[in-house]
Amino acid sequence: MMLCGSRRSILPPRALALAACALLAACNPPAPPPTGHGTMPRPRPASLRVPVPESPEAQAMRAYYARIQTDLLAQGLLRTDGGGRDTPYTDRMLAENFIRIALYDEYERADSGFAQRETESRLRRWEAPVKVGLSFGASVPEERRATDRARIASYLARLARITGHPIGLSDSGANFFLHIVAEDERRELGPAISSALPGLSATEVAGITEMPTSTYCLVYALSDDETSVYTRAFAVIRAEHPDLLRLSCLHEEIAQGLGLANDSPAARPSIFNDDEEFALLTTQDELLLRMLYDPRLRPGMTVREAQPIVEAIAYELLGGES
């Protein structure tokens, strides 16, 4: 089993890659709200379309992350321009960034759960169509659901165009489970997590249901240990996030769940970088995804096997701008 990325090993015959995104403010963030379990929301009657009230704890978390977003924006972070003249990169840099992000893992599995320790891995990606099942917590208003659903559908269509791989929302047969939930709602996801990703220990499930305030969102992706092909993924986005921070989480977690499992401080412009400079998928990130799903690469490749092919593809994409 394997854990992937910044927001993120082995259970025969499968591997689990977790991308656990912790978007941390570069300067002093506001103190987190109290971590008590708060008041659970009332069950939502099936006949009503109005959301149940947010718990006091969720309201406190909403205020906390609003301050985080304000602080990040004040530092010039969470850019949405995709990069520009101030963020040049060459084919050599692109190749190096791909190797680091797609062929290394940020976490490895230990007896106590996942530990942050970068290790060389193999190339992993999806072969079957990616069918995203979207679920909302009962406290998420209908207007917000409609907006998020439209944004996610548009983003998935963009990813499908970039990769050439079938990716989209699905009401049945989902293999990529995306949950947008509030703090108390996330704590109730244990059964859904275990059903989607069988083989996780109670400690690993708790890594999602009890994820710390410093973890803004995360994705677990399950791959076959023999083929390195992804078969299932489970992502969690905090419903309390303000608009841009929530969209940033969606961009990174879905992209990392496609196979870009690691982060690299050298990658710029990129969302696969813990400095939070960019909020949304950048021009370089699009190229990294195109490379990942290039038919000349195949799941299970080692760094040594992939390196010359990656360099050739990067040269083609950027015209040898070394």
Side-chain angles (χ1 to χ4, degrees):
M1 194 190 272
M2 301 303 317
L3 184 90
C4 54
S6 70
R7 313 223 178 212
R8 14 266 150 246
S9 55
I10 297 179
L11 261 188
R14 295 185 246 190
L16 177 77
L18 165 72
C21 174
L23 299 175
L24 299 177
C27 296
N28 297 325
T35 57
H37 283 203
T39 303
M40 294 297 295
R42 298 190 303 274
R44 183 184 184 190
S47 61
L48 298 180
R49 295 184 63 81
V50 295
V52 300
E54 274 190 333
S55 69
E57 183 180 14
Q59 293 173 6
M61 296 293 278
R62 181 176 297 281
Y64 171 69
Y65 289 115
R67 295 195 301 272
I68 290 287
Q69 178 175 289
T70 298
D71 288 348
L72 291 171
L73 290 170
Q75 298 171 51
L77 303 176
L78 296 182
R79 289 173 56 176
T80 60
D81 57 7
R85 293 183 177 180
D86 65 321
T87 58
Y89 54 94
T90 66
D91 65 295
R92 184 175 302 171
M93 294 164 65
L94 178 64
E96 291 173 352
N97 290 335
F98 180 87
I99 292 295
R100 183 59 56 181
I101 293 169
L103 285 149
Y104 281 78
D105 290 324
E106 185 177 356
Y107 292 82
E108 67 176 2
R109 202 177 190 192
D111 292 340
S112 58
F114 290 103
Q116 188 166 13
R117 188 177 303 112
E118 188 174 71
T119 56
E120 185 174 323
S121 183
R122 293 176 180 269
L123 188 140
R124 295 187 296 266
R125 70 185 185 199
W126 294 79
E127 294 292 288
V130 180
K131 300 180 178 181
V132 178
L134 177 59
S135 298
F136 294 94
S139 66
V140 180
E142 291 294 338
E143 182 179 1
R144 171 49 58 193
R145 296 183 190 207
T147 299
D148 283 350
R149 178 175 288 274
R151 285 177 168 177
I152 292 167
S154 176
Y155 182 52
L156 296 179
R158 177 184 174 189
L159 293 175
R161 290 192 300 270
I162 293 168
T163 62
H165 189 79
I167 306 168
L169 287 174
S170 179
D171 293 327
S172 62
N175 50 21
F176 194 123
F177 303 89
L178 176 58
H179 290 259
I180 300 178
V181 289
E183 182 76 2
D184 36 16
E185 295 163 345
R186 191 192 66 253
R187 295 198 182 99
E188 303 303 312
L189 287 181
I193 298 166
S194 296
S195 175
L197 301 177
L200 285 187
S201 69
T203 299
E204 289 156 351
V205 171
I208 302 176
T209 59
E210 300 295 334
M211 69 184 191
T213 308
S214 58
T215 299
Y216 291 19
C217 39
L218 56 77
V219 61
Y220 281 64
L222 186 70
S223 65
D224 184 275
D225 194 36
E226 297 298 323
T227 65
S228 297
V229 171
Y230 281 131
T231 58
R232 312 269 282 182
F234 194 97
V236 175
I237 310 296
R238 292 183 183 271
E240 298 95 342
H241 283 327
D243 193 65
L244 182 55
L245 201 54
R246 185 172 61 258
L247 189 57
S248 174
C249 275
L250 288 167
H251 271 228
E252 182 166 0
E253 300 318 318
I254 294 172
Q256 288 202 302
L258 295 180
L260 296 177
N262 196 17
D263 287 313
S264 172
R268 183 174 184 259
S270 179
I271 58 175
F272 305 110
N273 186 319
D274 281 337
D275 65 7
E276 325 322 335
E277 182 180 7
F278 290 89
L280 309 181
L281 203 71
T282 69
T283 57
Q284 181 172 204
D285 296 333
E286 290 187 344
L287 297 180
L288 293 173
L289 286 165
R290 285 180 62 181
M291 296 170 72
L292 178 64
Y293 282 84
D294 190 293
R296 286 170 286 185
L297 295 173
R298 65 181 186 277
M301 276 186 163
T302 64
V303 171
R304 183 175 180 179
E305 292 170 331
Q307 184 93 43
I309 302 172
V310 168
E311 291 175 352
I313 297 172
Y315 183 90
E316 293 172 8
L317 290 172
L318 292 179
E321 298 174 5
S322 299

